[in-house]
Amino acid sequence: MRVIVTGAQGQVGRELLLRAPSGFNVIGYGSGELDISDSVQVEEVLARIKPQLLINAAAYTAVDKAESDIERAYAVNRDGVAHLARAAQAQGIAVLHISTDYVFDGNHTLPYTPGDVTAPSGVYGSSKLAGEQQLQQHCSRHVILRTSWVFGAHGNNFVKTMLRLGRERDELAVVADQRGCPTSAGSIADTLWALATIFRRDGMLKWGVYHYSGAPACTWYDFADEIFNQARSEALLEKKPRLKAITSAEFPTQAKRPGWSVLDCQTLEQDYGVSTRSWKVELQQVLQQLGSASLVI
Ligand SMILES: NC(=O)c1ccc[n+]([C@@H]2O[C@H](COP(=O)([O-])OP(=O)(O)OC[C@H]3O[C@@H](n4cnc5c(N)ncnc54)[C@H](OP(=O)(O)O)[C@@H]3O)[C@@H](O)[C@H]2O)c1
């Protein structure tokens, strides 16, 4: 089965290319080779390559910058997805698309299910929700996989930021009133390939919206604490910095962050047998990867 991966240089995109199961002929495109905001380019590439499946890992992901770079965020996250959706529908290509917990307002106290009411509070979340809607409107054979708090060995993420700051500072203040589920990029890629494998076998999927994240839920403070404990064990850090728990109000950002980002992943397990993984185990693998490849900045 021929598969196109867009956003192939991103955290998830890279893992998708690295973890493709045998039997898939995968062609990855970075933003320089395929700009999804360019409809002509999208149509041309899809028509030339003729994949059976497209996995969209491309997105404008700069959450704070999006607040002032509204046009570009929508050009990629809404219009880019619309271009992919229309071209895929016209050419009979199924689409697996990644979305985010930021489509919710973050005011829940129970895990968000795929059917819960969406109400994004910032430009990034709104543009991603608009992308979901474009895909739903224009492409009948699609899965939207919402995920959260992505980390991995490649690209920029919280784990790598903590490791860098941990080397530079003796004390770090970390937000302790936002709760969510760290998710390794590798586990997202494996989940998407599990769906792709079922699609290859059955020629169809139960199309719709699903949630996938790591477990259990924690705060950014808990996540940082575990990163430093494990980094010490893996000899990636000489000493653990003192951690100070702060509130979101004490760490103002351009975009408001959801206080509650916990996703309910049960339907993915019920429909496809894909279980959530322990983010602590995944973290250890990422740290070992970073240590062995000297990938830490
Ligand atoms: N990171 C998170 O914590 C998080 C949380 C929830 C959901 N998600 C979702 O997960 C997916 C993957 O995110 P990620 O963490 O892998 O993000 P990432 O590392 O920022 O990767 C996104 C990739 O998309 C590419 N891209 C941007 N604009 C593009 C365009 N117009 N055409 C083609 N490619 C373009 C970027 O390339 P350039 O760098 O060259 O621009 C980048 O390589 C996204 O849908 C994101 O919304 C992420």
Side-chain angles (χ1 to χ4, degrees):
M1 175 172 277
R2 195 172 302 154
V3 183
I4 281 185
V5 172
T6 49
Q9 299 293 329
Q11 292 196 80
V12 178
R14 277 178 185 242
E15 293 293 343
L16 278 164
L17 294 199
L18 289 169
R19 290 166 186 249
S22 62
F24 285 101
N25 173 11
V26 186
I27 303 137
Y29 288 90
S31 60
E33 297 136 357
L34 174 56
D35 176 353
I36 65 165
S37 69
D38 181 338
S39 62
V40 175
Q41 217 180 351
V42 166
E43 276 175 39
E44 188 276 317
V45 169
L46 267 55
R48 180 160 45 83
I49 303 296
K50 299 193 189 338
Q52 283 89 28
L53 182 68
L54 183 146
I55 306 180
N56 180 33
Y60 183 108
T61 55
V63 175
D64 288 317
K65 196 172 163 213
E67 293 299 308
S68 52
D69 195 11
I70 302 167
E71 225 171 279
R72 189 65 197 152
Y74 274 90
V76 180
N77 292 345
R78 178 194 57 199
D79 304 341
V81 179
H83 302 325
L84 295 173
R86 286 176 194 273
Q89 181 72 11
Q91 298 178 36
I93 303 162
V95 176
L96 305 183
H97 172 69
I98 311 167
S99 193
T100 170
D101 54 305
Y102 278 54
V103 299
F104 297 115
D105 63 11
N107 295 328
H108 259 215
T109 49
L110 288 174
Y112 283 107
T113 66
D116 277 333
V117 174
T118 51
S121 56
V123 171
Y124 168 72
S126 303
S127 66
K128 289 290 294 182
L129 179 60
E132 289 187 7
Q133 291 162 344
Q134 290 295 318
L135 187 57
Q136 287 162 336
Q137 219 173 315
H138 299 296
C139 179
S140 49
R141 296 193 307 154
H142 70 262
V143 166
I144 293 166
L145 190 74
R146 294 190 188 127
T147 188
S148 62
W149 295 23
V150 179
F151 68 93
H154 307 285
N156 296 320
N157 55 62
F158 187 75
V159 172
K160 290 169 87 174
T161 302
M162 285 300 112
L163 291 176
R164 181 170 49 77
L165 293 177
R167 291 209 175 90
E168 293 169 4
R169 302 185 192 170
D170 293 328
E171 184 176 277
L172 274 182
V174 186
V175 171
D177 62 356
Q178 292 169 21
R179 188 163 279 273
C181 297
T183 311
S184 74
S187 70
I188 300 169
D190 287 345
T191 300
L192 290 163
W193 284 124
L195 297 180
T197 301
I198 295 167
F199 176 60
R200 185 177 58 181
R201 185 193 65 197
D202 299 347
M204 61 168 298
L205 287 169
K206 267 183 114 177
W207 310 112
V209 182
Y210 289 88
H211 288 173
Y212 176 78
S213 67
C218 67
T219 66
W220 289 112
Y221 178 92
D222 302 329
F223 191 18
D225 192 49
E226 183 66 19
I227 291 166
F228 290 123
N229 288 339
Q230 288 202 21
R232 286 280 301 119
S233 307
E234 298 294 333
L236 286 173
L237 269 186
E238 277 176 24
K239 64 176 177 47
K240 182 180 172 181
R242 279 188 309 282
L243 291 185
K244 188 178 159 213
I246 58 167
T247 63
S248 306
E250 291 173 279
F251 187 73
T253 48
Q254 277 166 288
K256 185 177 174 285
R257 300 295 196 276
W260 178 264
S261 276
V262 184
L263 299 176
D264 182 328
C265 305
Q266 283 183 60
T267 52
L268 193 70
E269 172 135 32
Q270 284 156 12
D271 288 357
Y272 295 114
V274 176
S275 318
T276 57
R277 292 188 196 166
S278 156
W279 61 261
K280 291 186 185 178
V281 173
E282 295 286 300
L283 175 64
Q284 191 183 12
Q285 289 166 8
V286 166
L287 292 178
Q288 285 170 351
Q289 214 179 331
L290 288 170
S292 63
S294 305
L295 283 169
V296 184
I297 311 155

